[in-house]
Amino acid sequence: DVAEYKFNGLTSTFKGLKDGDYILVEDTAPAGYSVVSEFKFTIKGGKVENVESATNGRSYKDEKGNIVVEDAPIVKLSKESLGGTPIPESAGKAEFTLIANDEGATLQGVKINGNEVTEDTNETKFSGNAVDFEYLKAGKYTLVEDTAPTGYSVVSSFTFTVDEKGKVTEVSSATNGRSYKDEKGSIVVEDTPIIKIDKKEVGGTPIPEESGKAKFKLTAEDADKTLEGVKVNGGEALGE
């Protein structure tokens, strides 16, 4: 007797299902989508009588009596250098805090690069320059970059919104660097590289510490440019 059968496809048909209860498990979702949790459906008189709701994604009976399974898209976060160039692996990974803003919202059940948030919390930390979010519920979120890759400045925190279909609909602008939604619906965060000046002797020999420090004056030469927001040696942003 066969009580279990594996198959694949986006549109599948069943013939000869006897009356009773059945469980459907999505083992693997199409690329870019999250699997739904397993759900139960009932056959009565040769027709679909009832379809239980899935915890992740949606499962239901449509007006034609068909079973419909809707997978939630995976929300992607891409961490790049300003201008859209990849950040080298040698620079390390950015560290972030994700916050669910809506009242009573929780991140429990959300997966970040495959790691599930098991606690009932509205805030969690993670690291990575390429990140997949699965099972984000509809609502507004804040993303804070706590630590940037080596040689880059952190962006300010920014917000993004996920709709009922699990897609990103809006990404607010970051004060430092850039944050936006690209044509694929992914969240892109671009960090500004840190510009360094290295004071040395002629020939490249380091200047000894006992010689003291040099004093400089930085001027924005273009008439339409200012130094507002610039940080020198990690200090407070100028003009703020």
Side-chain angles (χ1 to χ4, degrees):
D1 291 345
V2 179
E4 184 176 296
Y5 180 74
K6 289 182 178 289
F7 62 94
N8 55 42
L10 298 178
T11 301
S12 301
T13 59
F14 303 102
K15 292 183 179 180
L17 283 178
K18 299 178 175 61
D19 288 359
D21 293 331
Y22 296 85
I23 293 175
L24 192 62
V25 180
E26 184 179 18
D27 298 310
T28 306
Y33 292 84
S34 302
V35 297
V36 299
S37 57
E38 65 179 54
F39 63 92
K40 184 187 293 185
F41 66 93
T42 302
I43 299 294
K44 188 175 182 180
K47 296 181 179 181
V48 177
E49 179 75 12
N50 181 59
V51 178
E52 287 185 353
S53 296
T55 306
N56 303 315
R58 292 182 66 206
S59 56
Y60 58 93
K61 182 179 74 171
D62 68 11
E63 66 279 358
K64 295 180 180 179
N66 297 319
I67 299 171
V68 181
V69 180
E70 296 182 356
D71 286 347
I74 295 173
V75 174
K76 292 183 175 291
L77 169 69
S78 178
K79 181 71 179 171
E80 299 175 351
S81 177
L82 198 62
T85 56
I87 291 177
E89 290 186 9
S90 58
K93 297 179 179 179
E95 296 180 359
F96 293 95
T97 299
L98 177 65
I99 303 169
N101 294 348
D102 297 337
E103 185 176 354
T106 179
L107 295 174
Q108 189 172 26
V110 171
K111 286 187 176 181
I112 303 176
N113 280 348
N115 298 312
E116 184 174 351
V117 179
T118 57
E119 297 179 1
D120 185 8
T121 179
N122 72 328
E123 184 174 320
T124 191
K125 293 182 178 292
F126 64 93
S127 62
N129 295 334
V131 181
D132 288 346
F133 298 107
E134 298 181 71
Y135 310 126
L136 284 175
K137 298 178 178 64
K140 197 167 189 177
Y141 297 85
T142 295
L143 195 60
V144 182
E145 184 179 16
D146 301 307
T147 306
T150 303
Y152 293 84
S153 301
V154 297
V155 299
S156 58
S157 62
F158 63 92
T159 61
F160 65 93
T161 303
V162 176
D163 66 11
E164 294 293 339
K165 295 182 179 180
K167 295 183 178 181
V168 175
T169 58
E170 180 184 353
V171 178
S172 70
S173 297
T175 306
N176 304 314
R178 292 182 64 205
S179 56
Y180 58 93
K181 182 182 73 169
D182 69 8
E183 67 280 357
K184 296 179 180 179
S186 300
I187 301 169
V188 181
V189 179
E190 295 183 359
D191 280 352
T192 305
I194 296 174
I195 306 299
K196 291 186 177 182
I197 180 171
D198 198 359
K199 180 71 176 174
K200 294 182 178 181
E201 291 182 6
V202 175
T205 305
I207 294 175
E209 290 186 9
E210 58 266 23
S211 296
K213 296 180 179 180
K215 294 183 179 181
F216 295 93
K217 180 172 73 173
L218 177 64
T219 304
E221 196 166 71
D222 294 341
D224 60 341
K225 298 292 189 300
T226 73
L227 297 176
E228 186 172 356
V230 172
K231 292 183 178 182
V232 180
N233 291 334
E236 294 293 325
L238 300 178
E240 295 183 2

